[in-house]
Amino acid sequence: MSEAMLEFRQVDVYYGVIQALKQVSLQVNPGETVALIGANGAGKSTLLMSIFGQPRVRNGQILFCGEDISHKSTHYVASGGIAQAPEGRRIFPDMTVEENLLMGTIPIGDKYASEDMQRMFELFPRLKERRNQRAMTMSGGEQQMLAIARALMSRPKLLLLDEPSLGLAPIVVKQIFATLRELAKTGMTIFLVEQNANHALKLSDRAYVMVNGQIRMTGTGQELLVNEEVRNAYLGGH
C-alpha cells in the first residue's frame, strides 16, 4: 500500500500522436501542499486532467490512496474524494452562489450541505454577501473563490487547483493564496498547478518543475524559491 495520497508512476499521456506527458513520477502525501510549476504549455493542466481520465494514461499508473485509478471513470474518481477547481473557474454563470455551491455536493449527496455552506461563508465572507447573486455578475476574484468553495463542498480528501491566480489582479491573488494558506493549516491536502511560481512556492511544502511534459526538478518550496535556475526561468530573476 502506498503512503502517498496521490502518486504518478512513470506516466505517459498522448493527444493523438503528440506526447503531452513523458515518464512523469510525482507524489502528494496526506496533509501536504504540493505545487507543480512551469511555463504555459508545459503539460501542467494535462497532468491534472489525466487524474480524471481526460486524457487517459497510455503507460504508467496514477494511484489515489494506493488504488490504481488510471482507468476509472471521472465520476468514480470524483466520488472517491478528489475535487478540482478547474482552470478558468467554470462556474455555472446563470446560477446563484448558493446554487453553485450545492452543485459541489453532487459526488457525496447533500447531507452536509447547510453546515458546509456556512463553513464556506466563513472561509470566503465575500460569497456570503453574494449568496443570492448570479455567478456571472461577480468579479473574477469572487468567481475564483466560488470555484474553490464549490470544490470543497464535496468534502474532498484531495483538492486540486488549476491556475487559481489566472487573470486576477495582484491584490486578489494575495487574498486567494491567504485563504489557501488557512486551508492548508486545517490539514487539507492540496495539489496546486500554477504559473505564478512565486506565490505557489511560498505556499508549498514541496514542488515540482515541469518542462515540456517532463519533471525536471523537485524540492521544497523554499529550496526552489532560492534556486537560481528556477528564479531566472519563473521568478524573473528576482
Side-chain angles (χ1 to χ4, degrees):
M1 193 74 156
S2 164
E3 64 157 346
M5 184 174 284
L6 178 71
E7 187 176 2
F8 276 65
R9 289 184 183 168
Q10 305 274 291
V11 168
D12 292 330
V13 165
Y14 289 78
Y15 287 111
V17 295
I18 297 162
Q19 189 166 5
L21 299 181
K22 300 164 193 164
Q23 295 285 288
V24 169
S25 293
L26 60 78
Q27 65 182 61
V28 180
N29 300 314
E32 265 191 324
T33 298
V34 175
L36 178 66
I37 64 168
N40 202 3
K44 304 185 306 296
S45 291
T46 297
L47 184 142
L48 274 197
M49 294 191 303
S50 70
I51 295 169
F52 292 98
Q54 301 167 325
R56 285 262 174 236
V57 170
R58 188 174 295 182
N59 302 307
Q61 288 180 308
I62 301 173
L63 304 177
F64 178 59
C65 297
E67 180 188 7
D68 185 352
I69 57 167
S70 315
H71 299 284
K72 300 290 188 189
S73 71
T74 301
H75 176 75
Y76 181 91
V77 174
S79 55
I82 303 179
Q84 182 175 7
E87 184 181 359
R89 305 186 266 281
R90 298 200 207 145
I91 47 154
F92 299 100
D94 288 321
M95 289 185 179
T96 65
V97 165
E98 280 199 0
E99 288 166 342
N100 266 279
L101 291 176
L102 286 173
M103 293 301 282
T105 67
I106 286 173
I108 62 163
D110 61 4
K111 184 179 171 188
Y112 307 106
S114 58
E115 67 178 277
D116 285 354
M117 202 174 286
Q118 289 315 310
R119 206 161 54 89
M120 292 311 121
F121 290 154
E122 283 163 28
L123 200 56
F124 299 103
R126 192 67 64 82
L127 296 183
K128 187 175 186 178
E129 294 166 24
R130 305 270 191 270
R131 63 194 298 170
N132 299 314
Q133 200 169 315
R134 286 203 300 171
M136 65 160 67
T137 63
M138 301 201 302
S139 71
E142 290 164 348
Q143 290 182 14
Q144 184 61 64
M145 291 170 193
L146 179 56
I148 296 169
R150 181 183 62 188
L152 290 169
M153 288 292 286
S154 69
R155 297 195 161 198
K157 294 180 189 136
L158 173 64
L159 176 65
L160 307 177
L161 299 166
D162 195 355
E163 303 283 8
S165 76
L166 195 68
L168 301 181
I171 189 162
V172 181
V173 174
K174 267 193 173 138
Q175 288 171 348
I176 296 278
F177 274 85
T179 305
L180 294 179
R181 201 161 277 113
E182 290 306 308
L183 268 179
K185 282 181 192 162
T186 68
M188 169 63 78
T189 308
I190 299 171
F191 185 36
L192 166 74
V193 160
E194 181 56 80
Q195 244 177 297
N196 188 323
N198 188 32
H199 277 293
L201 293 175
K202 282 178 179 168
L203 177 73
S204 303
D205 299 305
R206 290 188 307 110
Y208 294 89
V209 179
M210 182 168 259
V211 180
N212 296 329
Q214 292 176 296
I215 300 295
R216 285 286 168 83
M217 213 182 293
T218 181
T220 67
Q222 214 48 50
E223 284 166 355
L224 294 181
L225 211 45
V226 298
N227 179 291
E228 199 152 323
E229 210 181 316
V230 172
R231 289 164 76 94
N232 290 332
Y234 306 109
L235 301 168
H238 302 323

